[in-house]
Each structure stands twice: as C-alpha cells, then as structure tokens.
Amino acid sequence: MKSHIESLLEQTIESFKQQGIVPADFQARIQVDRTKDKSHGDLATNLAMMLTKVAKKNPRELAQLIIDTLPASSYVAKVEIAGPGFINFFIDDNALANQLQQALTSDHLGVALPTKQTIVVDYSSPNLAKEMHVGHLRSTIIGDSVVRALEYLGHNVIRQNHVGDWGTQFGMLLALMEELRAANGEQAKMELSDLESFYRAAKVRFDESTEFATRARQLVVALQSGDEYCNKLWREFNDISLSHCHDVYKRLGVSLTRADVHGESAYNADLAQVVKDLDAQCLLSESNGAKVVFQEAFRNKEGEPLPVIIQKADGGYLYATSDLAAMRYRSNVLKADRAMYFVDLRQALHFQQVFSLAKLAKFVRPEMSLEHTGFGTMNGEDGRPFKTRSGGVVKLVDLLDEADVRALELVRSKNPDMDEATLTEIARVVGISSVKYADLSKNRTSDYIFSFEQMLSFEGNTAPYLLYAYTRVAGIFKRATDIDLSQAKIVLEHEKEKDLGTKLAQFGEVLTRMTDKGLPHVLCGYLYELASEFSSFYEACPVLAAETEAQKQSRLLLAQLTAKTLKTGLSLLGIETLERM
Ligand code: ARG
C-alpha cells in the first residue's frame, strides 16, 4: 500500500508540474510512513511541507491542493490533513481483500484488460549469414517477454522475425556452397553445421580469389533477378541457418515459430515501388549517383543534412529501403495500431530517420505508433563488449552450454543426494532462466555486465532467488492438501497481511507499465518485491499454525494468490517454474 500511495503522490506531483505549481525539473523526495497511532490513519506523508519552498504556498493550503489533485483510488477510504500539514491516509482493507478474493478465481488474476490493439513486435531478427551470437540474446528474450505480456492483456500480437536474409554477403556464401559441392558432392551439407566458420571461409575465398569474388557478385545479381538455381541454393542455406535459430529459440523457451519469419527478402518485390512512390512525392535527391532522402530534422554535428539512402548508384537497395516497405506492410496489410522494434540502440538514428520518413511519405497510417524499443550492449566483466577469450564473438549455443554446466554444479551442491535425471532437469531450468532473468531484470536501455556468478546467485534480484521463493510458497500447499478452501475468505488484519495484499493488488498496473514502454525489468522488480513481501509475511504470520481456522484459511489464500502471481509473472518473462530445486 505504501508504494501505491507513493505512486498516487508521484502522479500528483506530475500534474503539479504540468500546471506550473512546481518547476518541471523538480525532484520530489516522496516519503510515506506508517502511522504509529491508527487514529491518524494507516499511512502519512509530509509532502506538503516539503513543497512549501518551491511552490511558495503554506503547507496546509498545499496539503488541500494535493488532496484535491490526488487520483482516485478504491483502496483509499479517507484522506485527512493533520497538524501543520501532514496528510493521513485511511486504507480500505475490505475493498483490498475483496479484490484479492476475486483475483483468485478470475481468468487473468483480476487484471483489468485494456482496449484490444493489433501490435506488431519486431524482435530477434538475426542476420542469417552467420550463426546467432550473444548480440541476439537481448532482442530475442526482451521481445519475447513483452509479446507474452501483451498477449496476456488480450492484444492481437503479430510477431515479426525480420531476419537479414538478403544482401551482398549471400553471393559469397552461395559461391562457396557451389564450390564445395563441385568438389565434395553432398558432403558440403555438413560444412553448414558450423555457419560461423563457413562464413569465415567464404570471406577468405572472397578476399583471396578475384574469380571467386566475381562469381559471388554474379550470384547476387542472379539471385535478385529471380534465377531459379540461385534461389534454390539460397533457400537451402537459409533453411539450415533458420533451423539453427529455431534450435536456440526452443532451448531458450522463446515463442517464435517459422511462421513468424518475415525477413528482408519478403519485401524484395516492393522495393522498386518504394522508390517510385518517394519519387512521385518529390522526396528523392541524388547524391553521388545514389537516390537519397534528406529530412530537415536530421543533421550531423557539423550541421550538414543526413540522408537516408534508398538506392545505391549500382541499383542495389538498402536496409532502410526494406524497412520502409516493411512499415507499409505492417500498417496497411497487418493493420497494426502499434509496432515495436526490439533492436540495438546503436540503430537509433536509423529508426528515427525511417520512422519519420514513413510518416512523411504516408507509408503508414498517421495514427500508427512506431516505437524503437532499443537496448544497450551486453558487456563482459571487463566492461567491454562480451567476447571469447581469443576475442571472437560468443555463439549463443556456447553461452547456454556454459550456463547449463554451471547450473548443474550449483544444483548438485545444494542437493548432493538427488538422482542425476532430476538434477539435470532442474539445472536446465535454472541455467536458462538465470541467463534470461539477468538480462530481463536490467533496464533495457542501459548496457549491462554479463556475469555467471551474479546471475546464479541465490541472493538478490536473480532467477534462482525467485525460483526458490516460488518453491517455498508452493511447498506450503504440499503440507495442506487436506484443507478445504472452497468457503475460505481473505481477511486482512495483520500489518504484513496488508502489505502483501497491497503488493498482490498491483500486478495489473505493473503489466500496464511493462507493456506501455516495453520494459520487462518493471515486472522483474515487482516479482522480486512480491517474493520479499511474502517472506516478511511468512515470518510474521504463521500459516498452518495460525490462531484460528478462518485465519489459517485466509492466509492460505494469500499464499495461493502469491504462488499464482509469481508463476504467471515468471511465465510472462518466459521463465518456467520448478516445484522443487
Ligand atoms: N537484422 C538486423 C540486425 O541484425 C536487425 C533487424 C531489426 N529489424 C528491423 N526491422 N530493422 O542488425
């Protein structure tokens, strides 16, 4: 309840800022405390006193203004001004208890569903020329978690895996496939089991042999003009590369399927039209033979205009061109109200430019929201981008293998007598969820340091902590199977019951905040707080040894709702729960 009141006060300050009552850059330190004497309500704040200086009003006058501006909340039974300008809040515990009771039996834990939207989520989107590496982890799991939460809230979500399956690098890959096939026949298939070295080998051949390079260029032209032989080779390559991706998705528990793949090549046939339409609107300029668009708002540090390149002098199209075509498709064919792009923040300028151009050229409906939900870099413990010891890119598969090994060690050390099969299964869940949770729990906009030690710790905001907390809550029921809860009623009496109840009631608003901005760390933080709130409750309030039968049942219901909320929350992060660990 404390944080609920804090958030009401934060909103009040926001509206004070809009009305100019306090300066827009004012940093309020909002303090809400539990009252000692219940005749003063449950919670109190000294906010009015804190604001007197900046707002130049007396505290009682301000207190009244705060009360008048405070958003309505069904949990607040009464608000009063006391003494020099304290504000006292009286919590309606019955309203809270009723809400929780309903949450237990409702489909969505009582979460109020928003107006349904069609939302395109562009995520994962690796380049198929290479194998998935750690750089693809963030987009894949952050995107997947937001997708799950949006679907939970009832939206029509369209996953788009905008894979890089087109472009000049394919010429050199196809040339190598061709060469190996001529030399080794079917064995060449095997070479593709390691895409990373295949790519490197192709690059070496491309750089050392002009003949090879010429053949590679011919193959690109042939591919783009629809040559059947080239297309067959290309499909074979992509098929193998995609199956690598889907192995990784499966292992990560990511919900993408082959049907969600809609890569750059899917827009190939629309690109000429994009150029024509830009031309018809007189938006194109020439720059060194290339067709480009200049927009007023985009300039470099020297103040020179920054172009979006649409078509190169040799006729080739670019990344931006297929993104323009993709936006048109997402707006006009998929009818998206909103499109979210989970892509590295290093592409921020690209997205600003193409979003603004798509609106300018009316490629998307004016009301469609285009959002680059970008993320920072995953760094190693030295604070530099994560690399192998020899400085190479870390393949995602290798990273997950290491997580497995480390998790197995950890789980074995906690359960020396457990059989091997159970250990392995628990370790699989702990390993994968630790990697995922470590990423999801950081604000996506910042860089973060990847550390196996931290992510596998049982202390702090980590997957092992939460998975363990869940097993503890779920464990209570294992000892209470004979208790009939069909007539049980939640009653909030103890301080800690009220605190836990208040936290539980916030699940819906947390999901709204998470999906509005595409920020899974908001949900992680909430689940962590919920687990901690449950621990304090469990310490202070005996459940199975409660004083009365009614109290025991009420507390069991609270535990049940906590378990459900933790499990649901973790599942929206794409994390499986365990019954024991
Ligand atoms: N394939 C690109 C890359 O690896 C990411 C694509 C993101 N999506 C998009 N519509 N541009 O950098």
Side-chain angles (χ1 to χ4, degrees), residues 42 87 126 148 167 180 185 191 215 223 237 258 274 287 313 344 362 371 411 433 435 444 516:
D42 300 282
I87 303 171
R148 286 167 190 265
L180 291 172
E191 308 274 348
R215 181 65 187 143
L223 179 66
F237 180 90
R258 286 272 188 140
V274 166
S287 170
D344 197 312
K362 304 202 171 49
E371 302 162 32
V411 180
S433 46
V435 171
R444 64 170 161 74
D516 273 357

Side-chain angles (χ1 to χ4, degrees), residues 122 125-127 136 162-164 264 319 323 330 341 343 347 350-351:
D122 180 320
S125 308
N127 291 331
H136 297 115
H162 188 89
V163 296
E264 290 180 26
Y319 185 50
D323 258 328
R330 291 166 184 188
Y341 290 73
V343 187
Q347 296 191 26
H350 163 79
F351 284 110

Side-chain angles (χ1 to χ4, degrees), residues 166 215-231:
W166 204 242
R215 181 65 187 143
R217 289 196 193 95
Q218 281 170 353
L219 285 169
V220 176
V221 177
L223 179 66
Q224 301 201 333
S225 55
D227 175 82
E228 195 32 54
Y229 162 77
C230 273
N231 271 275

Side-chain angles (χ1 to χ4, degrees), residues 138 141-142 145 374-379 433-456 460-463 518-525 573:
R138 302 209 73 187
I141 64 188
I142 298 173
S145 151
F375 49 82
T377 310
M378 175 170 142
N379 288 326
S433 46
S434 297
V435 171
K436 291 176 87 168
Y437 192 85
D439 199 315
L440 293 169
S441 59
K442 314 285 185 315
N443 188 331
R444 64 170 161 74
T445 57
S446 31
D447 296 346
Y448 84 100
I449 294 192
F450 185 93
S451 153
F452 275 119
E453 242 144 75
Q454 249 174 45
M455 70 180 67
L456 286 166
N461 188 8
T462 64
L519 293 171
H521 80 280
V522 171
L523 176 56
C524 296
L573 295 168

Side-chain angles (χ1 to χ4, degrees), residues 165-433:
D165 57 358
W166 204 242
T168 44
Q169 71 274 42
F170 283 90
M172 110 191 157
L173 297 167
L174 299 192
L176 185 61
M177 269 171 93
E178 200 177 54
E179 203 170 76
L180 291 172
R181 247 162 234 201
N184 314 330
E186 272 307 288
Q187 244 192 326
K189 272 219 163 102
M190 297 295 294
E191 308 274 348
L192 282 174
S193 63
D194 186 348
L195 278 185
E196 217 43 51
S197 31
F198 191 85
Y199 185 90
R200 248 177 290 142
K203 183 87 179 70
V204 168
R205 289 289 292 131
F206 189 86
D207 292 338
E208 76 188 3
S209 154
T210 38
E211 242 168 87
F212 184 92
T214 310
R215 181 65 187 143
R217 289 196 193 95
Q218 281 170 353
L219 285 169
V220 176
V221 177
L223 179 66
Q224 301 201 333
S225 55
D227 175 82
E228 195 32 54
Y229 162 77
C230 273
N231 271 275
K232 191 166 165 283
L233 269 188
W234 171 80
R235 273 197 303 273
E236 252 174 74
F237 180 90
N238 282 344
D239 194 51
I240 295 173
S241 183
L242 270 174
S243 67
H244 284 293
C245 295
H246 282 272
D247 287 347
V248 173
Y249 296 154
K250 182 152 184 251
R251 200 159 159 198
L252 276 173
V254 162
S255 65
L256 284 165
T257 67
R258 286 272 188 140
D260 304 317
V261 174
H262 207 87
E264 290 180 26
S265 66
Y267 303 102
N268 190 35
D270 307 333
L271 302 181
Q273 195 61 41
V274 166
V275 179
K276 269 196 202 147
D277 291 344
L278 292 173
D279 202 21
Q281 300 185 61
C282 302
L283 290 168
L284 288 179
S285 312
E286 287 265 321
S287 170
N288 298 325
K291 295 195 164 95
V292 306
V293 178
F294 288 109
Q295 298 173 90
E296 250 326 294
F298 298 97
R299 291 175 179 276
N300 66 13
K301 280 193 212 97
E302 286 71 44
E304 293 151 5
L306 276 175
V308 181
I309 309 176
I310 306 293
Q311 190 171 24
K312 289 190 289 188
D314 68 5
Y317 300 107
L318 292 107
Y319 185 50
T321 329
S322 41
D323 258 328
L324 288 169
M327 278 186 273
R328 175 133 80 171
Y329 170 75
R330 291 166 184 188
S331 174
N332 301 345
V333 180
L334 300 180
K335 299 270 183 273
D337 298 301
R338 183 180 182 198
M340 303 173 90
Y341 290 73
F342 288 92
V343 187
D344 197 312
L345 275 171
R346 283 175 284 200
Q347 296 191 26
L349 179 62
H350 163 79
F351 284 110
Q352 284 163 18
Q353 287 185 303
V354 295
F355 287 172
S356 113
L357 179 52
K359 292 261 158 145
L360 182 67
K362 304 202 171 49
F363 285 176
V364 296
R365 296 163 2 264
E367 69 277 14
M368 178 176 171
S369 158
L370 297 166
E371 302 162 32
H372 175 209
T373 33
F375 49 82
T377 310
M378 175 170 142
N379 288 326
E381 300 202 43
D382 57 359
R384 307 249 198 93
F386 200 75
K387 291 270 160 68
T388 58
R389 235 163 247 181
S390 58
V393 284
V394 179
K395 284 198 218 169
L396 217 37
V397 183
D398 295 339
L399 184 94
L400 298 181
D401 285 345
E402 181 162 355
D404 258 355
V405 172
R406 290 191 184 233
L408 187 60
E409 254 169 58
L410 177 75
V411 180
R412 197 194 302 278
S413 73
K414 301 251 172 207
N415 306 280
D417 302 324
M418 198 178 264
D419 68 277
E420 205 57 28
T422 317
L423 273 180
T424 314
E425 174 55 13
I426 294 178
R428 180 188 68 78
V429 175
V430 172
I432 291 287
S433 46

